[in-house]
Structures are given as C-alpha cells and as structure tokens.
C-alpha cells in the first residue's frame, strides 16, 4: 500500500481555534442546539477523500454508555464551510456533496440551526460569466451574469475567476 502522512495544522470548535489534535472535548451542548468541530490537515500526497467513516463514544457522568443523548452521527463530503446568516447561531454550516457526481458539485446545505438540511441548485460554468472586478479600498466587487435563474432557496454557482 501507499504510505500517506497527515498533519493536523489547526482545529476549531464552532469558530473558536483550539489545540490541533483529534481529541476534542465538546463540553456541554444545550438541548436542541448544535456544535461543530473542524480539523485542517495537510497531507504528503495530493488528492481528496471519497468516503468517510466515523464513530462516537458517549458515556454519562455516571459511566453508563447505554444512556447516550446522541441521536445520530453522519459524515458528509464537505465542499465548503459557510454561514447561514438567516439563522446564524454561531456554529458553522456546511455545503456538502451528498449525491456524488463527476464534477463534485455541492448539492446540500447542512445548517446547524435546528439541524436543518436544504437542497442546493446548481448553475454550471457554461451558464455564468463574470464581469471585470471593480476595486475599492475594501477589496473588489464582481458582477455575475447568469443564463439561468437561481432558485428561491440556495444556489451554487461555478464561474470562471475574473481576478486570476
């Protein structure tokens, strides 16, 4: 087999930086709320994950693992960490590719607020053109011209980088 070395370079609980280790304490999570852990890693080999497996162990303060308060554990192929400002709870939200495809297009928004999941529509590169960037002291603005209408909920747009 091929040997690959991984190094954790940073870790976060919600948006707060913590020590870069896999052993993370989530502390208390209030009922009907969420918390997220994020690890940033480097690898000795370029590539991407195509599948993930995860396990969780919960033990009550009295040492009884049979009385878990966790309902489920799921993994998703992450496309980007995003922030759903409509329901911002201070916990990261995730754009994921839950339905695998050849172009790795994200299709689902996992919002930490009420553990909701939303479908994401897609406007491909061929239906998007970007205008020239307009530079200001705060950065730049780019206007996109779309040949398709974005959905009423969430839309992922893939467009050529006008700044490269």
């Amino acid at each position: 087999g091929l040997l690959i070395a991984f190094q954790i370079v940073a870790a976060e609980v919600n948006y707060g930086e913590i020590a870069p280790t896999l052993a993370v304490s989530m502390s208390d999570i209030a009922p009907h709320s969420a918390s997220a852990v994020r690890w940033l890693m480097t690898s000795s080999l370029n590539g991407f994950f195509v599948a993930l497996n995860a396990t969780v162990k919960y033990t009550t303060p009295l040492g009884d693992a049979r009385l878990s308060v966790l309902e489920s554990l799921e993994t998703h192929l992450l496309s980007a960490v995003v922030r759903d400002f409509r329901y911002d709870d201070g916990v990261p939200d995730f754009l994921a590719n839950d339905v695998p495809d050849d172009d790795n297009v994200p299709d689902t928004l996992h919002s930490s607020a009420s553990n909701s999941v939303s479908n994401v529509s897609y406007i491909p590169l061929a239906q998007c053109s970007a205008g020239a960037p307009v530079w200001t002291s705060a950065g730049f603005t780019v206007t996109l011209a779309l040949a398709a209408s974005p959905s009423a909920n969430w839309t992922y747009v893939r467009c050529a980088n006008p700044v490269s």
Side-chain angles (χ1 to χ4, degrees), residues 97-120:
N97 185 14
D98 285 347
V99 180
D101 58 86
D102 291 338
D103 294 325
N104 294 313
V105 174
D107 48 52
T108 310
L109 174 70
H110 294 270
S111 178
S112 58
S114 72
N115 198 27
S116 63
V117 176
S118 300
N119 291 330
V120 175

Side-chain angles (χ1 to χ4, degrees), residues 129-153:
S129 61
V134 176
W135 295 90
T136 67
S137 61
F140 64 90
T141 301
V142 173
T143 301
L144 302 178
L146 305 176
S149 296
S151 74
N153 200 10

Side-chain angles (χ1 to χ4, degrees), residues 18-94:
I18 60 171
T21 177
L22 282 176
V24 174
S25 174
M26 299 293 290
S27 65
D28 292 336
I29 302 171
H32 308 290
S33 65
S35 190
V37 177
R38 180 176 174 220
W39 292 275
L40 296 125
M41 297 185 247
T42 59
S43 167
S44 60
L45 184 66
N46 287 335
F48 57 92
F49 294 102
V50 294
L52 304 168
N53 292 313
T55 58
V56 65
K57 180 180 177 184
Y58 173 82
T59 305
T60 67
L62 299 175
D64 191 346
R66 296 172 299 159
L67 302 173
S68 177
V69 297
L70 301 174
E71 292 179 9
S72 67
L73 172 67
E74 299 175 2
T75 61
H76 304 276
L77 295 176
L78 178 66
S79 296
V81 176
V82 296
R83 199 164 197 162
D84 182 354
F85 284 104
R86 297 177 310 168
Y87 309 107
D88 193 11
D89 58 359
V91 177
D93 304 303
F94 302 98

